Amino acid sequence: MPTVLPFGRALSACCFAVLLATSAVIAAPTGMTLGPVELQSVGPMTFATSGVLLVGDPKAATVYAIATEDAGTRASGPSIADLQGAIKSSLGLDGDLEIGELAVNPDTGNVFLSIVAGGQVHLVKVDGQSEITKVNLDKVHHASKALPNPPEDKDVTRRGRTRNARDSSITDVAFFEGKVMVTGLSAGDSPSRVIEFPFPFAENTVTTSVDIFHAAHGRVEDATIQTFLPMVVDGEPSLLAGFTCTPLVRFPVNALDGSEKVRGTTVAELGNRNQPLDMVVYEKNGKTSILMNNSARGMMKISTEGIGENQGLSEPVRGGGTAGQEFETIESLSGVKQMDKFDASHAVAIVDVKGTLALQTIELP
């Protein structure tokens, strides 16, 4: 079995104890200023370190680092049957409310959500008692990083479809080994890219164009990464990326150095007419698996067995078929719209339950 490990999440018992002992006092990280953050759009979120939340704003083509000052003992997982109703009631909101993304603070277990209400983007926190509070973005320690060469912010119609490429300038964001990694689109002829820069934010940004062999289409494409995981596979830092329709592709992180376009290894084709939404990696019963929720194909539990030796697909996979890494569909976890890892054996998820969005703590299968 290959060694497959996630970046940036695992803490030893000793380190975790130190975190708990020192988390009551949180200083603003280096490089942050105190002031307002005005988010223009809902985008991916993840935690960096010491309660700092990384928030992607695709419309602004900017990544924000926000000091949440979220500290204390680790919480239990939340459970809210009607998430939209609970947020409206707790914050005194009326009218339409859209739930965006979620991220779990690995230090405390508290859940952070982006919402759109009254035409504005807000952040809210849900603690272990399922109490909801608003994050004050009017005066918060933060830093920002504008991405280079983003797509133009305009609607373009092609083949009867209208889309704005700026909306995909940031599709996912991760933190590992002291760096921030961002995926999305750029302007130009090779739009699909991976961006890496230090944290705290600095100017030395590395941008790498990527493409893939998309077996469902039988051709090489500049496809857009929709969600990804930084992982260590057989000792090699790797990026495992999910694309629309649904190829799963491995990229060596060391190759993403900006020197040339990188073609990933398509380790699986998981079915067409679908978009992957989130992925988490975990260990259970001595095996490492990836859990992926999707727009149309349910929850997939994907085996990492042999993924390091997988040479990749090179022939078409037609008719909506699947190939490559083995997986199973977890029927009991249908309706999951968003998720993030909570602890070694659980995730927190936004679940569509008969038309009502619920916040649940689910067991990793």
Side-chain angles (χ1 to χ4, degrees):
M1 176 183 291
T3 303
V4 181
L5 298 171
F7 283 163
R9 292 293 188 186
L11 288 175
S12 69
C14 176
C15 290
F16 187 66
V18 172
L19 266 175
L20 290 181
T22 60
S23 61
V25 178
I26 295 181
T30 303
M32 289 193 169
T33 59
L34 185 63
V37 173
E38 297 181 6
L39 298 173
Q40 298 181 33
S41 60
V42 167
M45 306 192 304
T46 194
F47 272 87
T49 182
S50 299
V52 174
L53 180 64
L54 300 174
V55 181
D57 185 342
K59 186 64 72 173
T62 298
V63 176
Y64 292 93
I66 298 173
T68 64
E69 299 185 358
D70 182 43
T73 57
R74 186 168 175 82
S76 57
S79 177
I80 300 176
D82 180 359
L83 181 58
Q84 289 170 303
I87 292 174
K88 286 184 177 183
S89 176
S90 297
L91 304 185
L93 300 174
D94 296 317
D96 294 336
L97 185 144
E98 174 190 344
I99 305 293
E101 301 274 343
L102 90 161
V104 177
N105 185 344
D107 297 344
T108 66
N110 291 328
V111 179
F112 286 74
L113 302 166
S114 59
I115 65 170
V116 180
Q120 293 185 316
V121 180
H122 307 274
L123 295 180
V124 298
K125 181 176 81 170
V126 184
D127 66 17
Q129 287 71 49
S130 298
E131 294 184 359
I132 300 170
T133 55
K134 183 179 177 180
V135 178
N136 182 14
L137 295 181
D138 295 332
K139 189 176 182 182
V140 63
H141 283 99
H142 70 279
S144 63
K145 176 74 171 182
L147 302 185
N149 196 33
E152 186 177 358
D153 188 5
K154 71 174 184 178
D155 292 338
V156 176
T157 301
R158 292 179 181 172
R159 299 177 182 177
R161 292 185 177 183
T162 300
R163 64 190 293 260
N164 187 335
R166 178 63 74 87
D167 296 337
S168 296
S169 67
I170 303 173
T171 56
D172 207 357
V173 59
F175 175 77
F176 69 98
E177 294 189 336
K179 297 180 180 179
V180 179
M181 181 172 280
V182 180
T183 56
L185 293 181
S186 69
D189 296 331
S190 298
S192 184
R193 64 179 177 176
V194 179
I195 300 174
E196 182 184 288
F197 48 87
F199 178 83
F201 298 158
E203 294 300 322
N204 46 327
T205 300
V206 178
T207 301
T208 306
S209 295
V210 298
D211 63 19
I212 64 168
F213 176 74
H214 193 163
H217 297 164
R219 61 176 183 259
V220 173
E221 296 179 348
D222 288 313
T224 308
I225 295 171
Q226 299 298 329
T227 183
F228 72 93
L229 284 170
M231 303 171 63
V232 176
V233 179
D234 290 344
E236 180 179 47
S238 302
L239 184 153
L240 193 67
F243 294 75
T244 298
C245 212
T246 314
L248 189 64
V249 183
R250 187 182 73 244
F251 296 88
V253 170
N254 291 339
L256 301 172
D257 60 4
S259 61
E260 59 184 3
K261 180 183 286 188
V262 175
R263 182 165 302 161
T265 301
T266 304
V267 296
E269 192 72 46
L270 302 174
N272 64 356
R273 298 183 181 182
N274 178 58
Q275 179 171 311
L277 302 175
D278 296 297
M279 294 192 292
V280 298
V281 60
Y282 65 102
E283 294 185 12
K284 189 171 185 175
N285 299 325
K287 295 183 178 181
T288 302
S289 301
I290 296 161
L291 198 64
M292 174 195 285
N293 60 316
N294 299 277
S295 63
R297 290 184 174 262
M299 183 72 80
M300 297 176 179
K301 181 181 179 180
I302 306 164
S303 171
T304 64
E305 184 71 30
I307 197 170
E309 296 80 30
N310 190 323
Q311 296 300 304
L313 303 175
S314 57
E315 298 295 329
V317 178
R318 303 296 190 187
T322 62
Q325 295 297 125
E326 294 184 356
F327 74 96
E328 60 178 310
T329 301
I330 308 299
E331 300 293 347
S332 61
L333 294 179
S334 63
V336 173
K337 301 300 182 182
Q338 298 285 337
M339 69 174 177
D340 196 11
K341 195 171 182 180
F342 178 75
D343 59 23
S345 56
H346 297 86
V348 173
I350 299 174
V351 185
D352 187 332
V353 181
K354 298 180 179 180
T356 299
L357 294 180
L359 188 65
Q360 299 179 356
T361 303
I362 61 175
E363 185 175 355
L364 296 172

